[in-house]
Amino acid sequence: MEKWEYLSTKFQAEGSFGGILDVENFDLELNSLGNQGWELVSIVSTNAAYGKTREIIAVLKRKK
């Protein structure tokens, strides 16, 4: 049976209306984790008031 380990990492959304993600930083971090063997499984956004994105949570996995 395969065994996995999981990692959750947060990315802050900036801006006063709607929450803006720094896509360049996001891509750099995901590519860095991918080079370490992590595979992206899911992305979830957390919301503040009125649906504004507060942070993005990325869940990754890799074989143990």
Side-chain angles (χ1 to χ4, degrees):
M1 182 167 95
E2 292 182 307
K3 294 190 179 189
W4 302 92
E5 62 180 320
Y6 294 88
L7 172 72
S8 298
T9 186
K10 293 182 194 178
F11 299 90
Q12 296 298 318
E14 304 295 330
S16 51
F17 297 106
I20 300 168
L21 181 65
D22 181 346
V23 177
E24 288 182 30
N25 181 48
F26 184 70
D27 287 346
L28 285 172
E29 182 67 20
L30 289 180
N31 283 319
S32 174
L33 291 166
N35 287 331
Q36 296 172 44
W38 293 100
E39 178 183 0
L40 182 63
V41 175
S42 182
I43 294 178
V44 178
S45 67
T46 63
N47 295 321
Y50 304 105
K52 174 183 167 189
T53 299
R54 181 175 53 196
E55 29 182 48
I56 304 293
I57 300 171
V59 180
L60 303 100
K61 72 176 184 179
R62 69 177 174 188
K63 290 182 182 177
K64 276 190 157 187

